[in-house]
Every structure is written in structure tokens, then in C-alpha cells.
């Protein structure tokens, strides 16, 4: 049986572990964006920075940031959970993607993983979620993230009608001394 938001949220332990990875399944009450062609977006959760996770009718997961960026981030709900578990800092990987360069995203992922302060807590959450859900590790979470964002065709708009921009950002880890040093 495929993983669904309903199955996941029925398990309070998994919900608590995901909370440690800054994913909450308590959606905002009032939508602050629209999606072209989607009548009633199904917001399934939020992250620590105020961004929204939306399950689209196609079953892809869309991320809408509170800073005007949006895009498909996973091809399915299960791929979304696998990504969040494997790389809880997935949004930072996109921030340091050098405009959507897969090699830069892999470099950023390695540097970000090396700088994890709460590694024991994160690893415990990762293992607990995988074990509790019987969730296999993603084969290539960075590649899957890249492909989902690169192929994203969802048009998200602010309440004033202005479109959001891509989730890829122009920075690379070379713009950040801490990450640059972690990659060296």
C-alpha cells in the first residue's frame, strides 16, 4: 500500500520524528497562494520557515516558500518523505544549487551533511521513521529533487497575482565560508 498523508499522520511517533526534521503536518488555515489549474490546493503541511507542502491532484508534492519561490519537489508523497528523511536540509541544497546545477547540489548536500550539529537526533529520527514506516532509503534523493524541480510546471501565484519563481537559487557553497570550508 502506498504511503499517504493519512497513513503517516495516524502514527504519532513518526509525526514527532518529522517534527524534529522541521516538517509539520498541521497546515495553515487560510491559503496565501493560488496554483494555476488547481481549484482547491490540498496543503498537507508546513516547514519551520513558513513554507507550505501541497499534494497536487497528480500526487506530486509542491513546495511553496514564504519568500516567493515554488516548485514540484517530489514525484510522490513517498518520495517527499524519503527526501525529507534523507536530506532534511533539502531547501538549502536548492539555495546553493548555482541556478539548478546538479553537481553543485550534490556538493552542497555533502557540505551541509558535514555541518550537522544535531547529528545524533537527526539520525535517530531518520532511522525511526524508516523503521516505523518500512520506508526504504531513496536511491538518489538529490537527483530526484533536481529532476522534480527542473521539470516543475506548476505556476504558483501570490494573492496579488504575481507568479512565484523557481526553487533553484543562484548561490553555490563557494558563497558561504562555512560550507566552502566543509567541502574542502
Amino acid at each position: 500500500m502506498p504511503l499517504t498523508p493519512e497513513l503517516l499522520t495516524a502514527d504519532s511517533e513518526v509525526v514527532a520524528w518529522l517534527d524534529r526534521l522541521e516538517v509539520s503536518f498541521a497546515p495553515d488555515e487560510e491559503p496565501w497562494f493560488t496554483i494555476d489549474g488547481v481549484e482547491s490546493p490540498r496543503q498537507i503541511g508546513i516547514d519551520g520557515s513558513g513554507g507550505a507542502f501541497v499534494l497536487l491532484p497528480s500526487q506530486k508534492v509542491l513546495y511553496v516558500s514564504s519568500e516567493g519561490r515554488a516548485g514540484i519537489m517530489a514525484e510522490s508523497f513517498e518520495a517527499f518523505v524519503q527526501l525529507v528523511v534523507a536530506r532534511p536540509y533539502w531547501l538549502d541544497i536548492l539555495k546553493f544549487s548555482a541556478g539548478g546545477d546538479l553537481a553543485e547540489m550534490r556538493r552542497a548536500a555533502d557540505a551541509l551533511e558535514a555541518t550537522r550539529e544535531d547529528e545524533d537526533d537527526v539520525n535517530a529520527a531518520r532511522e525511526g521513521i524508516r523503521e516505523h514506516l518500512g520506508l526504504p532509503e531513496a536511491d538518489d534523493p538529490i537527483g530526484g529533487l533536481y529532476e522534480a524541480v527542473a521539470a516543475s510546471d506548476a505556476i504558483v501565484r501570490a494573492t496579488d497575482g504575481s507568479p512565484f519563481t523557481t526553487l533553484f537559487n543562484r548561490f553555490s557553497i563557494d558563497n558561504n565560508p562555512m560550507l566552502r570550508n566543509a567541502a574542502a
Side-chain angles (χ1 to χ4, degrees):
M1 176 163 36
L3 184 61
T4 65
E6 293 78 18
L7 283 173
L8 187 139
T9 56
D11 191 323
S12 60
E13 269 189 273
V14 171
V15 170
W17 283 319
L18 281 167
D19 213 31
R20 290 186 205 163
L21 302 179
E22 295 189 30
V23 174
S24 170
F25 286 90
D28 287 341
E29 300 215 1
E30 204 169 305
W32 42 272
F33 57 87
T34 61
I35 306 166
D36 288 4
V38 178
E39 189 77 22
S40 299
R42 182 177 176 205
Q43 186 175 331
I44 56 172
I46 55 176
D47 70 1
S49 66
F53 299 106
V54 178
L55 187 62
L56 296 174
S58 66
Q59 298 306 297
K60 294 179 180 181
V61 177
L62 173 78
Y63 177 73
V64 182
S65 82
S66 58
E67 289 138 16
R69 295 183 176 277
I72 304 293
M73 59 167 292
E75 292 297 313
S76 67
F77 183 73
E78 185 168 311
F80 159 69
V81 175
Q82 286 175 318
L83 172 64
V84 168
V85 169
R87 300 290 186 254
Y89 43 81
W90 63 272
L91 193 54
D92 289 329
I93 293 170
L94 293 170
K95 177 181 180 179
F96 295 107
S97 69
D101 181 298
L102 180 57
E104 282 297 315
M105 290 173 65
R106 292 187 192 287
R107 208 170 142 231
D110 290 342
L112 288 159
E113 188 72 19
T115 63
R116 297 296 302 179
E117 290 177 18
D118 236 352
E119 193 171 318
D120 290 341
D121 195 36
V122 168
N123 286 338
R126 286 172 168 166
E127 290 307 311
I129 292 166
R130 285 186 188 123
E131 185 179 305
H132 235 69
L133 296 176
L135 189 68
E137 282 193 47
D139 290 332
D140 182 9
I142 308 307
L145 176 62
Y146 169 80
E147 289 173 14
V149 175
S152 182
D153 59 356
I155 299 172
V156 177
R157 298 181 187 278
T159 52
D160 69 359
S162 58
F164 283 45
T165 60
T166 180
L167 289 174
F168 290 129
N169 208 321
R170 61 184 171 81
F171 302 108
S172 81
I173 62 170
D174 295 325
N175 299 112
N176 183 303
M178 182 180 76
L179 294 177
R180 183 177 54 235
N181 292 340

